[in-house]
Amino acid sequence: MQQKSFEEQVRLDVQRALEEDVGTGDLTAALVPADRMALATIICREAAVICGQPWVDEVLRQVAPGARARWLLQDGDQCEPGQKIVEIEGAARELLTAERTCLNWLQTLSAVATKTAMYVEAVAGTAASILDTRKTIPGLRVAQKYAVRCGGGKNHRMGLFDAILIKENHIAAAGSLSSAFKAAQASILPVTFIQVEVETIRQLEEALEVGVKMVLLDNMSLPNIRDAVTLVHGRCSLEISGGVTFENVRAYAETGVDRISVGALIKDIKAVDFSMRFLDKPVER
């Protein structure tokens, strides 16, 4: 399956969102005179990291191609409660139709970026990077992983197609950690990395013996993670996953691991509150 470009994925994301919201037409917006123009502002009602500009711009391209958007903040910027994010001038009918879809993208992606920024700040000063996982809303992976980057985090693999992560079920199916890793090394397909997941110190020792350079410590206790860091002593990169929360992420980071992957960045979010407001006196075209 051929991977889509970022721009094409944004276009398809927005097309799908508009199909489910607008369908055959916006019955309520049709009540507004066709020649009525409007100036609208989108406001964020709480402190947040802004994210979603490419998707909002694409909504306008598809619904209100004559509209002009002036962004006052960029993706990755921090905003304060009540702050204006963007001003949009265009046909009132079209802006009314675009409103909810624009806000949906902003509220969802800003939520991911905001949560990611909290975790990144929590580990500041340590060697650990914050990464996402594949625990995304189906169909929104590109968008949500973009939001993680806007929040200062890093992306793990995009999907099953760009990197190899050998987990416990792969090891069981292959017969051993060594067998699975050697098969990965023999692969002729381009991959960004080969990583092996381990659950015990003994498995970590086996991974080191066969030359694994990236190890994922799965659901290990803090004492065991500290032992793992000591054992590895720079021979491979260490990532931890499982059981990581905002309350304990700093303690995990201080063990000396290189990477911390956190599913909650994407799957446990609360939408950020945005609203669109029109001027009281619309402008005639």
Side-chain angles (χ1 to χ4, degrees):
M1 182 181 296
Q2 185 175 2
Q3 297 306 308
K4 301 176 180 64
S5 68
F6 178 80
E7 292 75 16
E8 177 67 4
Q9 187 62 58
V10 171
R11 186 187 69 79
L12 292 174
D13 285 348
V14 168
Q15 179 179 308
R16 187 174 64 249
L18 290 171
E19 285 172 352
E20 68 182 11
D21 194 38
V22 182
T24 57
D26 184 344
L27 301 179
T28 314
L31 305 176
V32 176
D35 62 350
R36 186 65 53 82
M37 298 294 287
L39 176 62
T41 61
I42 293 180
I43 298 168
C44 187
R45 299 195 175 278
E46 57 187 294
V49 175
I50 299 302
C51 184
Q53 181 176 342
W55 286 265
V56 172
D57 286 343
E58 181 61 28
V59 172
L60 296 176
R61 273 191 287 271
Q62 294 190 27
V63 176
R68 298 192 303 273
R70 185 170 74 93
W71 288 89
L72 307 177
L73 292 178
Q74 302 299 313
D75 282 356
D77 288 348
Q78 178 76 42
C79 76
E80 300 301 322
Q83 190 166 356
K84 292 180 182 179
I85 306 305
V86 59
E87 295 178 345
I88 309 169
E89 185 177 359
R93 274 188 184 182
E94 296 172 347
L95 297 189
L96 288 166
T97 299
E99 175 182 358
R100 176 41 55 193
T101 303
C102 287
L103 297 181
N104 284 350
W105 285 113
L106 284 171
Q107 71 181 23
T108 301
L109 300 187
S110 295
V112 174
T114 301
K115 190 154 197 175
T116 301
M118 292 171 56
Y119 274 80
V120 170
E121 177 62 26
V123 304
T126 72
S129 298
I130 297 295
L131 287 84
D132 54 25
T133 70
R134 287 167 50 235
K135 297 174 183 178
T136 56
I137 296 174
L140 297 185
R141 181 162 300 174
V142 169
Q144 292 186 306
K145 282 181 172 280
Y146 169 86
V148 167
R149 298 195 301 274
C150 287
K154 297 181 179 179
N155 296 149
H156 201 267
R157 57 180 175 166
M158 183 60 71
L160 299 175
F161 56 87
D162 60 338
I164 293 176
L165 172 52
I166 301 169
K167 307 184 75 163
E168 60 175 325
N169 286 336
H170 300 104
I171 293 171
S176 69
L177 185 155
S178 177
S179 296
F181 181 65
K182 288 178 181 177
Q185 287 182 305
S187 172
I188 61 173
L189 297 175
V191 295
T192 55
F193 60 78
I194 300 173
Q195 188 176 35
V196 176
E197 177 186 277
V198 303
E199 297 176 319
T200 66
I201 295 299
R202 177 66 196 96
Q203 284 183 321
L204 175 59
E205 291 172 338
E206 183 181 356
L208 291 173
E209 288 169 4
V210 297
V212 176
K213 297 302 180 184
M214 291 184 66
V215 173
L216 174 63
L217 307 176
D218 182 45
N219 279 294
M220 277 196 181
S221 66
L222 274 172
N224 280 350
I225 292 172
R226 294 188 186 100
D227 290 343
V229 172
T230 300
L231 173 65
V232 166
H233 196 59
R235 286 182 286 172
C236 72
S237 70
L238 286 177
E239 178 179 337
I240 61 173
S241 182
V244 179
T245 67
F246 183 70
E247 289 71 28
N248 65 26
V249 68
R250 179 78 190 186
Y252 281 120
E254 289 176 342
T255 62
V257 296
D258 304 289
R259 299 149 50 107
I260 303 175
S261 52
V262 185
L265 300 182
I266 289 173
K267 69 184 185 71
D268 297 332
I269 57 170
K270 174 182 175 296
V272 175
D273 188 7
F274 289 88
S275 66
M276 180 185 284
R277 290 290 179 264
F278 280 31
L279 288 179
D280 291 336
K281 295 181 180 180
V283 181
E284 296 295 334
R285 185 176 299 204

